[in-house]
């Protein structure tokens, strides 16, 4: 024989020789077999069909395969068992072990083939038949599985109840509800009323539309377990569904008398009062349920998400959120839920504070970190953007948004070098997110402008516009910076005109377009556009007022120009040019 048995590199011929040698060494102790091997695994043929030496070699090879199986070397074990079958194709244990391995590997058809062969070779082995029944069920051969369990009842009567339950489930899958009910009733006669059997029968009666059967089972459960409030709740729910609200209310009251702190009774009463149109009582019961620590937080989250979809009443929503938080003050899900509602209602600072509590309790959830970073951005919390961003970076160093947020924080702090470093890292990581990447390049265009690197500034703006040709902020800022430098003014005009045509009431965009026209020397056109900017809120911005004054000066209206400059100077946050004070002192326009 030239075939090898796996990594041992030993032929079956060697095992034959080993067997001959073993028979000559009568006093030698047999090899130890692991006590963890189940008895059915070790089954061998009662009467050997081979010479003793060959049979010993087969048995030894099978033991090698079992050892490989125990150490989870499934590939080697499989090859060894197939080697056994190459000598003895009627070796039932080898077929059984091959079936088990194939089942683990997801090769269900081959698992079934070898399971059938094992059972047919050893039809009285209950373990083989049980394994075969499970495979039949997995392969959706339900009638074959049913027949197997019927045989198992004869072969293994001590586990008859287990097999009957399996047969009940199979009959249900085969749409034989009456046979399923027959088996369940038989089990109930033997062992008495049980929740498991009754609930299975209730599900069948529901499918059959038999209300009397459902009611009978629920009342039977109440008689058997009179101190369990759950069954009164179930009967109450059923009475609501079948149009018996008064009986339902009595059922719920009985449940409350048994367990006044049961939150599920409160939820049942919520539905009861809702059907009656009693909103006040409904809300009272809902709050009682939500503030109860016994009601699982996941159930509460599901309730609130449903309410969010059907209700716009903020006052009641926050009353319920407060109830949940009172029961779970340190539960991340409760805090995140509250924060999500605050964010939805534009209460950004409160949302941010609760998101911070969430990450302090559980810092593993990226979506919570993302929400925290975004709320910092919404309130322009520069310290939070940097500090929370760096905390998120420790946990999620692969997320480009984190680098973007930190870079934005430094941008707002006017630390342009640090902003540039983080935004460049964001750009390197955001290749798969074109929307974020466009925003990053747009911001880098701003940063490099302030750093005086106009080549990199222009390059980043162009990259942003390649990704998002209608990115109005990038178009606006790029055209404004070109105008400041008096470069490519025709291109700047085209971009700013494109923006204002689509945003005709945006004072910032109108101001930029007016400034481009101003730099082109088209002062009268610039004045028309700038006065539109003032009309649409530009009077609240110092830089717009200052530039309006510049345009007025160039059109000859010098007194009004001085007036606008003084208005800009008087603003608490000027945001104006370095020449503003000198313009007022000299009563003269100064600029490039």
């Amino acid at each position: 024989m030239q075939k090898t048995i796996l990594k041992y590199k030993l032929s079956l011929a060697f095992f034959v020789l080993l067997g001959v040698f073993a028979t000559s060494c009568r006093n030698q102790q047999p090899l130890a077999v692991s006590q963890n091997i189940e008895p059915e695994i070790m089954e061998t043929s009662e009467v050997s069909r081979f010479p003793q030496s060959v049979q010993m070699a087969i048995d030894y090879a099978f033991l090698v395969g079992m050892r490989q199986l125990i150490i989870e070397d499934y590939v080697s074990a499989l090859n060894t068992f197939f080697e056994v079958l190459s000598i003895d194709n009627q070796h039932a244990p080898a077929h059984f072990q091959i079936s088990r391995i194939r089942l683990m590997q997801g090769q269900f058809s081959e698992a079934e083939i070898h399971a059938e062969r094992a059972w047919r070779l050893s039809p009285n082995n209950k373990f083989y038949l049980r394994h075969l029944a499970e495979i039949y069920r997995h392969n959706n051969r339900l009638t074959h599985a049913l027949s197997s369990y019927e045989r198992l009842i004869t072969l293994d009567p001590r586990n008859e109840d287990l097999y009957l339950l399996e047969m009940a489930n199979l009959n249900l899958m085969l749409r034989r509800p009456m046979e399923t009910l027959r088996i369940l009733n038989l089990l109930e006669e033997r062992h008495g009323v049980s929740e498991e059997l009754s609930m299975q029968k209730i599900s069948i009666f529901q499918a059959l539309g038999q209300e009397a059967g459902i009611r009978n089972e629920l009342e039977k459960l109440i008689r058997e377990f009179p101190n369990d409030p759950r069954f009164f709740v179930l009967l109450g729910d059923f009475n609501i569904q079948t149009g018996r609200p008064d009986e339902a209310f009595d059922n719920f009251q009985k449940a409350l008398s048994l367990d006044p702190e049961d939150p599920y009774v409160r939820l049942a009463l919520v539905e009861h009062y809702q059907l009656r149109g009693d909103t006040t009582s409904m809300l009272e019961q809902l709050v009682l349920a939500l503030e109860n620590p016994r009601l699982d937080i996941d159930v509460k989250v599901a309730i609130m998400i449903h309410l969010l979809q059907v209700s716009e009443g903020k006052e009641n929503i926050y009353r319920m959120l407060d109830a949940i938080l009172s029961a779970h003050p340190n539960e991340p899900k409760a805090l995140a839920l509250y924060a999500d509602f605050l964010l939805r209602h534009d209460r950004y600072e409160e949302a941010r504070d609760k998101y911070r509590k969430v990450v302090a309790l559980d810092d593993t959830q990226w979506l919570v970190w993302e929400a925290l970073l975004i709320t910092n951005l919404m309130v322009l919390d520069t310290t939070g953007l940097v500090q929370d961003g760096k905390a998120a970076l420790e946990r999620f160093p692969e997320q480009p948004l984190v680098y973007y947020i930190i870079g934005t924080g430094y941008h707002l702090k006017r630390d342009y070098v640090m902003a540039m470093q983080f935004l460049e890292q964001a750009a390197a990581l955001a290749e798969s997110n074109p929307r974020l990447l466009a925003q990053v390049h747009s911001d880098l265009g701003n940063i490099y402008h302030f750093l005086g690197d106009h080549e990199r500034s222009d390059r980043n703006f162009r990259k942003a516009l390649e990704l998002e040709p209608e990115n109005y902020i990038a178009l606006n800022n790029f055209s404004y910076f070109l105008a400041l430098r008096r470069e490519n003014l025709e291109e700047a005009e085209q971009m700013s005109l494109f923006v204002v045509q689509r945003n005709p009431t945006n004072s910032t965009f109108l101001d930029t377009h007016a400034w481009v026209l101003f730099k082109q020397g088209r002062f009268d056109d610039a004045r028309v556009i700038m006065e539109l900017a003032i009309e649409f809120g530009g009077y609240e911005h110092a830089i717009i007022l200052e530039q309006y004054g510049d345009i007025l000066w160039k059109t000859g209206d010098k007194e009004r120009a001085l007036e606008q400059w003084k208005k800009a100077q008087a603003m608490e946050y000027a945001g104006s040019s370095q020449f503003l004070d000198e313009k007022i002192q000299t009563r003269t326009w100064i600029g490039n």
Side-chain angles (χ1 to χ4, degrees), residues 67-91:
R67 290 193 182 108
Q68 292 163 339
L69 186 62
I70 289 169
I71 64 173
E72 299 182 1
D73 185 358
Y74 300 121
V75 174
S76 298
L78 193 64
N79 289 335
T80 302
F81 293 136
F82 273 120
E83 286 285 353
V84 171
L85 293 183
S86 72
I87 303 302
D88 181 7
N89 63 4
Q90 296 185 42
H91 197 282

Side-chain angles (χ1 to χ4, degrees), residues 70 96 100 134 143 155 247 257 261 364 393 439 533 548:
I70 289 169
F96 176 66
R100 292 176 72 192
E134 291 170 358
T143 54
L155 196 61
E247 293 180 40
S257 70
E261 299 302 319
T364 64
L393 191 61
Q439 186 60 50
Y548 182 35

Side-chain angles (χ1 to χ4, degrees), residues 101-137:
I101 294 172
R102 289 306 193 201
L103 186 62
M104 286 189 292
Q105 293 174 335
Q107 298 185 30
F108 306 118
S109 297
E110 191 172 347
E112 181 180 321
I113 290 170
H114 287 280
E116 284 182 337
R117 288 177 182 170
W119 172 66
R120 294 189 189 284
L121 289 166
S122 187
N124 292 324
N125 188 310
K126 63 184 179 182
F127 300 103
Y128 292 177
L129 186 55
R130 187 186 299 169
H131 174 70
L132 178 60
E134 291 170 358
I135 292 178
Y136 279 146
R137 180 169 182 168

